[in-house]
Amino acid sequence: MKVLVINCGSSSLKFQLIDSESEQCIAKGLCERIGIDGSMITYSPAGGEKEKTVTPMPDHTEAIRLVLNALTNEKTGVVKNLEEIGAVGHRVVHGGEKFAESVIIDDDVIKEIEACSDLAPLHNPANLIGINACKKLMPNTPMVAVFDTAFHQTMPEKAYLYGLPYEYYEKYRVRRYGFHGTSHSYVSKRAAQVLGVPYESLKIIVCHLGNGASVSAVKNGKCVDTSMGLTPLEGLIMGTRSGDMDPAIMEYIAKKENLNMDQLINVLNKKSGVLGLSGNLSSDFRDIESGYFEGNPDAIRAMTTYCYHVAKYIGAYTAAMNGVDVICFTAGVGENGPLVRSLVCDYLGYLGITLDEELNNKRGEDIVITTPDSRTKVMTIPTNEELAIARETVALVK
Ligand code: ADP
């Protein structure tokens, strides 16, 4: 079956058409600046030339219409007609406590996703726009929602509750949800597969380090803890997000800088993290890495603080699981940053970890990067959220 995977943001839309039998990507692309001047679509059929077309996209329905046109186009298309697309898988950011698994989308599911929008006001409405646009253009094609939060729904109460008045949980469902679940699930399963060990027998820590970053603890095939919380602002230091901090800092800075709550949250989401720590040098790890090697103190400060926080989470989750067998690095920084992996692993000698520096320098492979005598294994596993969404979609519509 050919599955169209859609990841719809407020002004962008990423797509991939995946053949579920071979698990290969047939074509992929991106619509940018939807609803803004200068919108464009990038389309890359597998083995073909990448095309970039600047064209008006007043809304997401038009963006999806252009995607479907590109896929069925006589010259560069990859399917003859839309009937060849067996199903659509949609990434949905917040499933609240309602969705612990992927589901076939119907009117009730749409209502439930709407109800979760309160918890993810920037993301869920955009995901819904993508769902509704596809429904309009492909009314007879089954669609599945795959939630970023679902994998983490197995966390026990002690891991998902905050030390707040319990009534906030009862009244408003204030709790830890966690995000990047599709990636944490895919990477932890893939690690077990590559090692040839049953998934249910392992204690795995997954470090998903991209622009957004989170860590999860996966014990016997189930997520038992994760670093992101009610929203994706908690946990690790990220590209531009602060991650964990003393909540009282908010009032202190609000008074000093004369900021209101919206402005403060904006600082924590967009001006903090590696960008803020490096004195606005960059949020991009390629710049931080090269600055670090050039001896730039701003880059060294950002890199050192970032890696220390990752190592602290690994320590915490080792305690949560009473041990760890495998630590996986994934996503933009985790997959491509040998320096980050190496600086993090410098703290992990107590786990019997020795990195093989040659293997640590490889990219794009599912590999163990520790020496054979290391007590705990460290792996680099490139994530593939689109493939994971396609698999979930096929499993439900078959
Ligand atoms: P997201 O999906 O959260 O937007 P990604 O997983 O694509 O993010 O990760 C983006 C991050 O990966 C950026 O900070 C980028 O600098 C980093 N990255 C990409 N390539 C490299 C590389 N070769 N070396 C170090 N970092 C890299």
Side-chain angles (χ1 to χ4, degrees):
M1 182 192 293
K2 294 186 176 83
V3 182
L4 178 59
V5 175
I6 301 274
N7 180 354
C8 198
S10 56
S11 67
S12 71
L13 184 158
K14 285 190 216 161
F15 65 95
Q16 256 192 46
L17 188 68
I18 293 176
D19 179 85
S20 68
E21 276 89 44
S22 65
E23 299 207 319
Q24 295 300 309
C25 168
I26 308 169
K28 64 178 175 183
L30 169 69
C31 300
E32 291 168 277
R33 300 179 65 82
I34 301 168
I36 308 172
D37 279 351
S39 45
M40 62 182 131
I41 174 169
T42 311
Y43 169 72
S44 323
E49 297 254 322
K50 189 178 193 170
E51 295 169 6
K52 208 169 200 172
T53 316
V54 176
T55 176
M57 272 178 238
D59 54 34
H60 288 73
T61 309
E62 181 58 16
I64 292 193
R65 205 181 60 75
L66 290 164
V67 169
L68 299 178
N69 280 353
L71 293 170
T72 51
N73 176 298
E74 262 186 27
K75 272 197 201 134
T76 51
V78 286
V79 289
K80 284 200 197 72
N81 52 51
L82 293 182
E83 277 78 70
E84 275 190 51
I85 300 175
V88 183
H90 290 272
R91 175 187 180 212
V92 179
V93 168
H94 218 307
E97 286 186 323
K98 178 72 195 171
F99 298 106
E101 278 167 2
S102 306
V103 282
I104 299 222
I105 297 173
D106 59 19
D107 291 344
D108 288 342
V109 167
I110 290 180
K111 279 197 201 105
E112 294 284 357
I113 297 173
E114 268 164 9
C116 297
S117 287
D118 203 18
L119 292 166
L122 294 179
H123 294 103
N124 275 29
N127 303 152
L128 278 166
I129 291 173
I131 290 171
N132 286 322
C134 278
K135 214 172 129 191
K136 212 167 174 181
L137 296 167
M138 311 167 80
N140 301 317
T141 310
M143 299 202 288
V144 169
V146 180
F147 300 90
D148 264 25
T149 47
F151 181 63
H152 305 301
Q153 277 294 306
T154 49
M155 279 188 286
E157 186 184 65
K158 65 183 176 188
Y160 71 67
L161 283 183
Y162 291 110
L164 289 170
Y166 187 62
E167 66 184 86
Y168 294 163
Y169 171 65
E170 292 177 307
K171 285 201 280 196
Y172 312 121
R173 296 290 136 192
V174 171
R175 53 160 285 176
R176 176 182 308 288
Y177 290 95
F179 298 87
H180 297 135
T182 312
S183 176
H184 287 285
S185 164
Y186 173 87
V187 169
S188 53
K189 287 190 185 109
R190 182 77 191 124
Q193 197 181 31
V194 170
L195 295 174
V197 178
Y199 187 43
E200 293 73 22
S201 72
L202 288 171
K203 295 172 179 172
I204 305 173
I205 294 176
V206 179
C207 305
H208 176 109
L209 311 179
N211 270 323
S214 63
V215 191
S216 68
V218 183
K219 188 179 181 185
N220 307 332
K222 290 205 162 63
C223 175
V224 293
D225 210 341
T226 192
S227 59
M228 281 179 167
L230 176 78
T231 75
L233 185 52
E234 195 188 350
L236 295 175
I237 293 171
M238 309 182 209
T240 62
R241 289 177 226 158
S242 63
D244 300 331
M245 58 164 210
D246 178 349
I249 293 171
M250 295 183 70
E251 191 205 10
Y252 187 75
I253 295 296
K255 283 187 181 153
K256 294 274 180 206
E257 297 265 319
N258 199 20
L259 300 178
N260 64 29
M261 192 54 92
D262 281 352
Q263 292 167 320
L264 258 178
I265 290 288
N266 191 49
V267 170
L268 299 185
N269 269 314
K270 306 236 170 88
K271 297 186 177 166
S272 301
V274 167
L275 176 70
L277 265 172
S278 68
N280 290 328
L281 175 65
S282 178
S283 66
D284 191 310
F285 268 80
R286 285 163 285 206
D287 302 330
I288 300 296
E289 199 171 302
S290 49
Y292 181 95
F293 286 121
E294 285 157 12
N296 177 332
D298 292 325
I300 293 171
R301 179 194 321 118
M303 181 62 90
T304 309
T305 314
Y306 178 90
C307 292
Y308 176 64
H309 281 245
V310 177
K312 282 212 297 188
Y313 263 101
I314 292 173
Y317 289 171
T318 302
M321 296 191 288
N322 190 18
V324 57
D325 301 307
V326 193
I327 298 167
C328 302
F329 285 92
T330 194
V333 181
E335 290 166 27
N336 297 302
L339 177 65
V340 168
R341 291 192 296 261
S342 166
L343 292 176
V344 170
C345 289
D346 281 349
Y347 292 99
L348 307 178
Y350 71 99
L351 293 174
I353 285 174
T354 313
L355 273 198
D356 178 322
E357 286 302 340
E358 197 177 312
L359 293 171
N360 185 35
N361 277 307
K362 290 196 170 185
R363 279 168 212 272
E365 289 176 51
D366 300 315
I367 47 166
V368 175
I369 58 171
T370 33
T371 55
D373 60 344
S374 284
R375 186 153 41 86
T376 306
K377 291 187 167 56
V378 178
M379 300 179 77
T380 306
I381 307 264
T383 193
N384 193 338
E385 288 166 282
E386 290 77 14
L387 176 57
I389 292 173
R391 283 180 183 163
E392 294 271 320
T393 303
V394 172
L396 282 171
V397 302
K398 257 199 169 161

